[in-house]
Amino acid sequence: DIQMTQSPSSLSASVGDRVNISCRASQDISTFLSWSQQKPGKAPKLLIYSASTLETGVPSRFSGSGSGTHFSFTISSLQPEDIATYFCQQYDTVPLTFGGGTKVETK
Amino acid sequence: QEQLVQSGAEVKQPGASVKVSCKASGNSLSASYIHWVRQAPGQGFEWMGRINPNSGGTKYAQKFQGRVTITRDTSISTAYMELSGLRSDDTAVYYCARAPQWLILRVDHWGQGTLVTVSS
């Protein structure tokens, strides 16, 4: 199975700050990587797929980059509604595997 | 807008089985693969398996082989996940999620989740 290692597991930032999250795959997954947002008690919401493509309707302050085994996710200017847990997921092969998540909180 | 609506919360005793349903909006089931993923309290996501609703073909995670069965009823646009031999560590929120037929592993919509509690 492909292991997905995500860091940090949590972070605290102020509104307006730039937020960066990393995700590393245990083997080459090309750009078969997505980033999703999950708020407490809610279903996950896809934000980015193919490592860097923004899902329709997702604000442009969200972005992703990377290929192969190293990926990153950025919120350019944190908004109050962005408080959530973010996770990466590889879809190169089954079993689908997920990063452990990054809980984003406000200072 | 794709929508997946799951059945309600369940409480089961150890050793029992649970069957969770996932209804897709409109005719979207035929254009999708349906995956099942679970999330135990405070834990990450764990992929359980998937079904091609058109053929009924399934693929399961090795961990759940022999205990999980994923089926579908295309006449009512609904997929099902049945897990048998329940243990306390099966307590989790179970999600269905869809991927398009042309990229069967790229999940793009999730159901609202179904909490399954295993307790005596």
Side-chain angles (χ1 to χ4, degrees), chain B residues 5-60:
Chain B
V5 179
Q6 298 182 223
S7 49
E10 303 261 13
V11 179
K12 296 291 183 180
Q13 294 201 329
S17 297
V18 68
K19 191 171 186 177
V20 180
S21 68
C22 171
K23 183 173 176 60
S25 59
N27 295 318
S28 61
L29 194 69
S30 61
S32 308
Y33 268 57
I34 298 295
H35 297 259
W36 288 89
V37 177
R38 76 178 187 180
Q39 186 179 32
Q43 303 298 310
F45 292 97
E46 188 172 32
W47 181 80
M48 301 178 70
R50 59 87 173 149
I51 187 167
N52 176 355
N54 291 328
S55 67
T58 55
K59 195 171 186 73
Y60 301 123

Side-chain angles (χ1 to χ4, degrees), chain B residues 90-106:
Chain B
D90 290 317
T91 294
V93 177
Y94 290 76
Y95 293 96
C96 62
R98 63 91 58 185
Q101 283 273 343
W102 59 272
L103 193 56
I104 66 173
L105 300 185
R106 198 195 80 191

Side-chain angles (χ1 to χ4, degrees), chain B residues 55-90:
Chain B
S55 67
T58 55
K59 195 171 186 73
Y60 301 123
Q62 191 166 6
K63 173 177 178 175
F64 298 101
Q65 286 275 3
R67 275 214 306 148
V68 68
T69 305
I70 300 174
T71 56
R72 92 292 190 216
D73 183 341
T74 54
S75 68
I76 55 172
S77 297
T78 300
Y80 302 91
M81 186 283 300
E82 184 169 20
L83 187 63
S84 62
L86 289 170
R87 308 183 290 255
S88 58
D89 62 359
D90 290 317

Side-chain angles (χ1 to χ4, degrees), chain A residues 6-11 21-22 35 84-87 100-104:
Chain A
Q6 189 175 335
S7 62
S9 57
S10 66
L11 65 89
I21 299 170
S22 295
W35 291 95
T85 296
Y86 296 85
F87 61 91
T102 297
K103 187 173 184 179
V104 176

